Amino acid sequence: MSSGNSIESVLHETRSFPPSAEFSAQANIKSQEEYQQMWQRAKDDPAGFWGDMAENLDWFKKYDSVLEGDMPETKWFSGGKLNASYQCLDRHLDSWRKNKAAIIWEGEPGDVRVLRYQDLYREVCKFANVLKSLGVETGDRVTLYMPMIPELAIAMLACARIGAPHSIIFGGFSSEAIADRNNDAQAKVVVTADGGWRRGKVVPLKANVDGSLDKSPSVQKVVVVRRTGCDVDMVPDRDYWWHDLAEKASPDCDPVELDSEHPLYILYTSGSTGKPKGVLHTTAGYMLGTTMTSKWVFDLKEDDTYWCTADIGWVTGHSYIVYGPLSNGATTLMYEGAPNWPDEGRFWEIVEKYQVNIFYTAPTAIRAFIKWGDDWPAKSDLSSLRLLGTVGEPISPDAWMWYHKTIGQERCPIVDTWWQTETGGIMLSPLPGVTATKPGSCTTPLPGVVPDIVTEEGESLGDNQGGLLVMKQPWPHMLRTLYGDHDRFLDVYFSKIDGCYFAGDGARRDEDGCYWIMGRVDDVINVAGHRLSTMEVESALGAHSAVAEAAVVGFPHEIKGEGICCFVTLKTADGTDELKKELIAHVRTQIGAIATPDQIRFAAAVPKTRSGKIMRRLLRDIAAGKESVGDTTTLEDYSVLASLRAEDG
Ligand code: 7RM
């Protein structure tokens, strides 16, 4: 943040793209009036509005009240009983949807599986029975560390069926990170695979789990899917093949009738300290939020083929590959591997092959597509596409225009969806049949979302003044706590701005009420759409015997959005290239491949304020190669700066 109260905003974009009349006419929300009316009602009478929306879920027992309490301690749909796997499966089975494709899956090597709703239901029931046979009870936590294969969705829904919250760990995390998360959640069972395919190579998932287990004593059993056929160690009475257990399991398993606020899952996300936060979502509110936002934003129709390219290891995959689309009875496409394997045309071949209608991806992927060139998408027929989406970071107007022209062929609305692991579902986004989109803006709040832009003191700012993005009203799919650390939950999200949820992003609102996100205001960086805490990388480096101190910042990166730059002071060792490599490898073992540093710069000291705080703003400027370093009046040791700049990455 710059000095003064508001954050300086430099982006000025005036192009605007209203939806076509044809799109609006067929859309789930058709007009500005309809949207305005919904939004106003949800603001003035949230209980009435969300109570009406809750008709879209199937309840074993109707709730007594829609909303109790106010932020941060809210309870939604108290007294109600339901089950998330029932929402996604059982309720579609007594209609023609029983034979509709629920999941169309393509593996990286080109293998294909299609699971109809009935097939998925049976597999989920079988695996729910497997979990029970391994001693998993309602309330127990289960870690899923898996590739993008149907078994991941099956395991999630099986956990939901018996009320065992899942904790999914993205396959790019290391043994150390798995152990941390297993311990924090006190997971009883880990589900994994021998490996997964990525750019023609096997990611050794089971071996990574093995490396975590002596440090995760809570884990009693490990279930392993055979995916790649690579060699794995199987420990008797601890490790079991999925297929051995599932083969013997019954395909019937009654869904447990769970309280509305029963925990559905924990998902670890980076905050501004070294310790990841276990974001906890609960059943009714989360299911309602993901169900409604999928319908509104992706305009889901019965005959759509919908593809979200995220990994299920991130919240986007939880909400918009699995729970939201399946709750709506949609066909959701899942792809296992890399976008450039065997070549850079893979995504567009998939679009043509399955006649994908709705395509949801991230700005980092779009930047890669642009770099790879227009010839790749030109090889495939993209005329099935009718709607495009983005998520994960601000998209530059240039990348937006490329997406609009080259992929959308100037025909498809683009929904730039702003939300977070914590918000559970989309918060700010165009409605594709309603909103005039602007390249680079996530535009307006969805019904039930009441945002504002405020100063550090909590005063509302006017049009086009940059400030802090907050939410002034509770919504059903918001996080309920940080697992095992409610005080941190209160502190991080609710202590900064009185009475509001503090998102950690800077933003401005323009004269049309459209929001423009300016990025994080804390020590969280966004590397290829993945949230990482600079503190986490600093802690990892600090654990290396040669390192005295480390300061980590993001810097602009052509494809990843932000790269990771580490300023390292050494105890005694020499700053050799060998040591640089060793430190990079060390961070990869401590956190995982996603945290691989792009630059290591050895320095005699890191610049600090008089009170001892690392001057990250200065380091960011140096990492970005900027000459002017701004205000240094509180800098402790001026000579440090010159030496940092001299040391070249
Ligand atoms: C869904 C997800 C959340 C952070 C968030 C922002 C950034 C996400 C957008 C965006 C600008 C967007 N969850 N972010 N979407 N910034 N425009 N459309 O990404 O928890 O992993 O990250 O991502 O900074 O706070 S997340």
Side-chain angles (χ1 to χ4, degrees), residues 411-423:
R411 171 187 74 241
C412 305
I414 297 179
V415 288
D416 175 350
T417 63
W418 179 90
W419 59 293
Q420 306 177 293
T421 306
E422 292 87 342
T423 69

Side-chain angles (χ1 to χ4, degrees), residues 264-338:
L264 178 61
Y265 69 80
I266 301 165
L267 180 56
Y268 288 88
T269 189
S270 295
S272 53
T273 71
K275 191 178 179 292
K277 305 180 287 194
V279 169
L280 184 115
H281 283 293
T282 59
T283 305
Y286 177 82
M287 286 310 298
L288 184 57
T290 53
T291 304
M292 298 319 298
T293 53
S294 298
K295 232 198 247 290
W296 296 335
V297 175
F298 299 119
D299 194 47
L300 283 177
K301 296 287 154 46
E302 202 64 84
D303 52 0
D304 278 324
T305 299
Y306 162 88
W307 184 19
C308 164
T309 71
D311 191 290
I312 292 178
W314 307 108
V315 73
T316 303
H318 285 60
S319 298
Y320 298 112
I321 296 178
V322 180
Y323 289 112
L326 295 178
S327 172
N328 280 291
T331 297
T332 181
L333 194 142
M334 222 175 131
Y335 168 60
E336 178 187 30

Side-chain angles (χ1 to χ4, degrees), residues 200-219:
K201 294 207 183 74
V202 172
V203 182
L205 298 170
K206 173 62 163 66
N208 291 347
V209 168
D210 290 345
S212 76
L213 290 180
D214 51 346
K215 284 171 237 137
S216 354
S218 64
V219 175

Side-chain angles (χ1 to χ4, degrees), residues 198-199 338-340 343-345 347-348 361-377 393 395-396 399-400 402-403 406-407 528 557-561:
R198 185 87 192 168
R199 277 192 200 95
N340 53 351
D343 62 37
E344 284 73 10
F347 273 18
W348 318 122
T361 196
T364 183
I366 296 170
R367 289 191 296 268
F369 304 148
I370 294 172
K371 194 172 173 193
W372 294 336
D374 294 6
D375 289 351
W376 292 107
E393 48 176 320
I395 183 167
S396 74
W400 195 101
W402 181 89
Y403 197 31
T406 311
I407 305 304
H557 186 285
E558 192 191 352
I559 300 294
K560 295 196 263 188

Side-chain angles (χ1 to χ4, degrees), residues 16-24 26 297-299 304-305 348 351 355-360 366 381-390 395 399-416 430-439:
S16 166
F17 297 84
S20 68
E22 298 89 301
F23 196 102
S24 299
Q26 63 79 58
V297 175
F298 299 119
D299 194 47
D304 278 324
T305 299
W348 318 122
V351 167
Q355 293 288 293
V356 170
N357 307 102
I358 304 165
F359 179 76
Y360 188 32
I366 296 170
D381 176 7
L382 304 182
S383 63
S384 60
L385 292 171
R386 68 180 192 90
L387 175 59
L388 303 175
T390 77
I395 183 167
W400 195 101
M401 287 306 299
W402 181 89
Y403 197 31
H404 170 69
K405 289 192 177 135
T406 311
I407 305 304
Q409 299 170 341
E410 302 185 34
R411 171 187 74 241
C412 305
I414 297 179
V415 288
D416 175 350
L431 291 171
V434 173
T435 316
T437 55
K438 302 182 187 189

